[in-house]
Every structure is written in structure tokens, then in C-alpha cells.
Amino acid sequence: VNDIDQLLKRPEFPRSSAYDPSWMVTNQMGPNAVWLLEWLTAEMNLSPGMRVLDLGCGKAMTSIFLAKEFDVHVHAADLWIGPDANWKRVVEMGVEDRVCPLRAQAHALPFAHGYFDAIVSIDAYHYFGTDQLYLGYAATFLKEGGQIGIAVPGLMQPVEGEVPEYLSSPQENGKVFWERECWSFDTAERWRERWERSGKIAVERVDTLDDGWRHWRDFEKAVEIAGTSPFPSDAEALDKDQGRTIGFIRAIGTRTSEESMDLYDPTIGVRLGVEE
Ligand SMILES: C[S@@+](CC[C@H](N)C(=O)[O-])C[C@H]1O[C@@H](n2cnc3c(N)ncnc32)[C@H](O)[C@@H]1O
């Protein structure tokens, strides 16, 4: 067993342990998406044949995992990563009958209202979903009773005033953990508040991952050993923090009503016949 295997095969994530660690570090775009998805889906109701939207799927590892583990049909939607590269990964993993990759902008989704049984989003929702109105918009693509679940990096306590020095100053390798996008990280309380106000989703749970920082740190170490990231590792800052500030948040809710009109929808003008 090499160092990477030792870091990435862990009892907390038994399903993930069946996947090749080098596949995970090669296709990673942040903290281990497969672990986060395993954690998320442990509390979601996915059954064979369901239609699932993987929103912000990155390199589609999570879409492949969903198809393999739950035998669901996945639309693997991402903005930065195009469908051609993702299709290759899908075919390589033998799930081409269940995963459809496409490029999509989360704020202008090209699907029919009520189409999906579930939406999942791993380490992506904070890039486009911190707007108070976004959840209500995303919910319109779920059928009544459909679930949305997200797992995102987040705050274990609010950052008030100054960011802790060890997060905002360079580590020994020169990398600064707290980049501008970290201001989109929120506490579980703040996510709960935002979701409860959406009006279209009944919130089932918002919670944090036990030892999230430790899993993140160890994944950073594995990626560093593998040399598969364009960025230096964040392990040192995460280790100094010991989970006081940084961890992972999971939020799951259910679509409550059939009513689908949403004023946040970019096509609302067309729908109402008022577009000039
Ligand atoms: C940190 S990466 C995570 C990717 C993948 N889920 C994973 O965990 O490996 C964030 C992803 O969010 C996607 N994203 C950011 N803004 C988006 C938007 N407005 N619409 C769709 N996807 C978006 C990016 O394309 C990127 O792949």
C-alpha cells in the first residue's frame, strides 16, 4: 500500500474506498468530491432510474459515482469543464448509458421545469448559490417531492473582522489558503437561514462533516504526493486551523409545491410574454 492509498482509503467512506485513488487525485478540483458525495448521498433518497442533475460536476467524478453506486441517470452539468473531456471520463468508467455531460451555467439551466428527481452539487454551489433567490430558481427544475442536496466547504464559526492569520498569510510553500472566493464560505446556520427563506424547499437537514478539516488536509497531502494539482497544497493551513474555522457543510431539502414560475428565472420575460 503506497502513501496515497493510505491517505485515501478510509473507513468513514467505504463506497469511495472502492475507487482508484489515482483516479481521484488525477480528476480532483478541490477537496475530495467523492468523499463529500458519499457523505451527502447517505442522507438522500436515490433509487435506480431516477433523473439526477449533478450541478457544477467539474470533471464528472461525482456523476460517475452517482451512476455506478445508485444506478441513476445523471446530467453532468458544468461551466468550466466542457462535455468532450467529461464524456471521455464517463466512457472510460463504463457509464455512458447513464451520464450525459453538458456545459451549463447554473443561472440559466437548459432543462424543463419539474424534470429532475434530485439535484446534487459538490464543492460548487457556493460559487453560484449564495444569492438568496438562487435556491428557489434551482428548485423549479425538481419535481414535487424531489430533493436537492449540496456539500460545500464552509465555516465552523463566523469569520468576524480579521481572518485568522494562519489562513490569510502564506504557508511555507507560499500558498495562501484564504483566497477571495473564501468569502463565499458560510456557517451551517447561515445556510439554513438562506434555505429556509427560499419558500420552495422544505429543509431536511443542514449539518457539518465530523473531522472535515482532517479529511481535507489528508486529501491535500495525497494530491501533493501525486503532483496532480496546479496549486500548492493547503495542508499546512488546515492543520493549523484544526477545524476551528474551516470544514464542510451539507444541506438537504425537498421541493414542496408544483408551482414553478420564478421571477429569478432568466427566461421569465418569455414565459410571461412581456419580453421586449
Ligand atoms: C471547485 S470546482 C468542483 C468541481 C467538482 N464538483 C468537484 O468537486 O470536483 C467548482 C465547479 O463549479 C463550477 N461552477 C462555478 N460556477 C458555475 C456556474 N455559474 N454554473 C455552473 N457551474 C459552475 C465550475 O465549473 C467548477 O467545475
Side-chain angles (χ1 to χ4, degrees), residues 27-34 36 54-62 77-81 104-107 109 121-128 181:
N27 295 308
Q28 66 82 30
M29 293 179 71
N32 196 346
V34 180
L36 294 177
D54 186 357
L55 190 51
C57 69
K59 295 188 177 171
M61 283 196 296
T62 47
D78 200 70
L79 188 59
W80 308 340
I81 306 294
Q105 156 61 275
H107 287 265
L109 292 173
S121 183
I122 301 296
D123 186 21
Y125 194 89
H126 55 302
Y127 290 95
F128 48 76
E181 69 192 37

Side-chain angles (χ1 to χ4, degrees), residues 16-269:
S16 304
S17 295
Y19 290 74
D20 181 359
S22 71
W23 178 73
M24 292 185 200
V25 292
T26 304
N27 295 308
Q28 66 82 30
M29 293 179 71
N32 196 346
V34 180
W35 287 344
L36 294 177
L37 180 64
E38 181 169 353
W39 174 50
L40 177 68
T41 51
E43 299 298 337
M44 292 183 71
N45 312 316
L46 296 177
S47 49
M50 277 185 167
R51 287 189 295 275
V52 178
L53 172 61
D54 186 357
L55 190 51
C57 69
K59 295 188 177 171
M61 283 196 296
T62 47
S63 312
I64 292 165
F65 183 96
L66 285 165
K68 278 186 169 291
E69 298 295 319
F70 300 100
D71 197 17
V72 291
H73 290 274
V74 186
H75 278 81
D78 200 70
L79 188 59
W80 308 340
I81 306 294
D84 297 336
N86 276 345
W87 181 240
K88 277 196 192 130
R89 280 182 275 271
V90 166
V91 172
E92 264 166 31
M93 292 296 275
V95 286
E96 60 269 38
D97 55 335
R98 278 161 287 161
V99 180
C100 171
L102 71 155
R103 196 185 294 277
Q105 156 61 275
H107 287 265
L109 292 173
F111 305 109
H113 286 162
Y115 182 76
F116 290 105
D117 297 291
I119 300 175
V120 303
S121 183
I122 301 296
D123 186 21
Y125 194 89
H126 55 302
Y127 290 95
F128 48 76
T130 55
D131 182 311
Q132 179 58 48
L133 298 181
Y134 185 74
L135 183 64
Y137 167 67
T140 59
F141 299 96
L142 282 174
K143 61 169 63 158
E144 193 177 349
Q147 277 184 317
I148 178 166
I150 68 166
V152 286
L155 301 178
M156 300 300 101
Q157 58 176 329
V159 168
E160 274 152 9
E162 293 289 296
V163 176
E165 195 264 337
Y166 53 83
L167 294 177
S168 61
S169 58
Q171 305 170 130
E172 266 184 32
N173 63 13
K175 171 87 165 50
V176 175
F177 179 90
W178 192 273
E179 288 165 342
R180 203 168 44 91
E181 69 192 37
C182 294
W183 288 112
S184 67
F185 292 2
D186 264 323
T187 59
E189 291 69 31
R190 180 71 190 99
W191 277 110
R192 176 179 287 282
E193 185 180 70
R194 186 182 284 131
W195 276 37
E196 281 177 345
R197 290 173 177 167
S198 81
K200 287 189 183 169
I201 291 290
V203 178
E204 289 168 48
R205 72 164 61 222
V206 181
D207 58 5
T208 59
L209 176 60
D210 289 343
D211 278 341
W213 70 274
R214 201 187 297 274
H215 298 308
W216 191 346
R217 179 199 63 187
D218 290 350
F219 190 66
E220 290 284 320
K221 284 185 183 170
V223 171
E224 191 170 29
I225 295 168
T228 48
S229 172
F231 308 110
S233 155
D234 279 319
E236 182 190 321
L238 289 163
D239 196 52
K240 284 191 174 151
D241 186 53
Q242 298 273 307
R244 282 190 294 268
T245 319
I246 303 296
F248 294 105
I249 315 280
R250 164 175 72 178
I252 300 173
T254 303
R255 170 78 202 268
T256 47
S257 79
E258 265 304 340
E259 176 268 319
S260 68
M261 200 65 92
D262 195 284
L263 295 174
Y264 191 70
D265 185 337
T267 64
I268 190 68

